[in-house]
Amino acid sequence: MTRETGEAAQHKISLVSDLVDNGTLVRHVNADELKIEDSLVYVLSEQQGGGSLVIVPISDPYALMSNFIVYLSNSGTMYRYNETLIDRSVSNTFQIKQYADGTLTRSDVSDIAYKTNDDLKEELRTGLSQQRPTARGNPTACASMAFGVGTGFGAILAWACAGTCVSGVGAPVCIACIGAYAAVSYGSINTFMNCLKS
């Protein structure tokens, strides 16, 4: 999977923006919480199923990993889309809502103590110097390996990764995992994906 930039990426971002604006893609956040201008585009290899992922980060008050991700075919036809919203529960832990193609598929409250986005960013910054685990195929270990962070951030990402998956996108890699990972924009996304598939 490779990052796409330039006009080709902007065309896909504009396509997704138009689909959201005209109501084709159902969103569950306010329009100004979708950070369209910060969207990322990744092209999947044929071995990963082909097509592209357009990943739109979602802003505060949602956690860094929150995102709106659209899976496009090589011809630009929309395959699937997924929305992951992570924020603070009334018990001061992380809670999640995930939607596949506009329909709620998961609503869950974790036992992971809530951290602000500033705290999460600091953990990511300081985590780069920590020892990385070698276990593979486990979302927590893979997050720690790719991000270089300890179990705190890895546990949050692993919990978010328990959501809706899309067949064909490097199966069994979960689209919610990819979106949550890419929305943070740290570490190597290919390292993360390859680790998950192991």
Side-chain angles (χ1 to χ4, degrees), residues 48-71:
Q48 294 168 327
S52 301
L53 298 175
V54 178
I55 301 158
V56 183
I58 295 174
S59 67
D60 282 330
Y62 296 99
L64 287 178
M65 300 77 73
S66 301
N67 68 91
F68 193 94
I69 182 170
V70 182
Y71 179 29

Side-chain angles (χ1 to χ4, degrees), residues 11-12 15 51-52 72-79:
H11 173 73
K12 292 171 185 174
L15 173 63
S52 301
L72 301 172
S73 70
N74 288 328
S75 64
T77 303
M78 180 186 64
Y79 278 167

Side-chain angles (χ1 to χ4, degrees), residues 166-187:
V166 173
S167 61
V169 187
V173 174
C174 180
I175 195 170
C177 263
I178 298 169
Y181 184 98
V184 177
S185 301
Y186 282 80

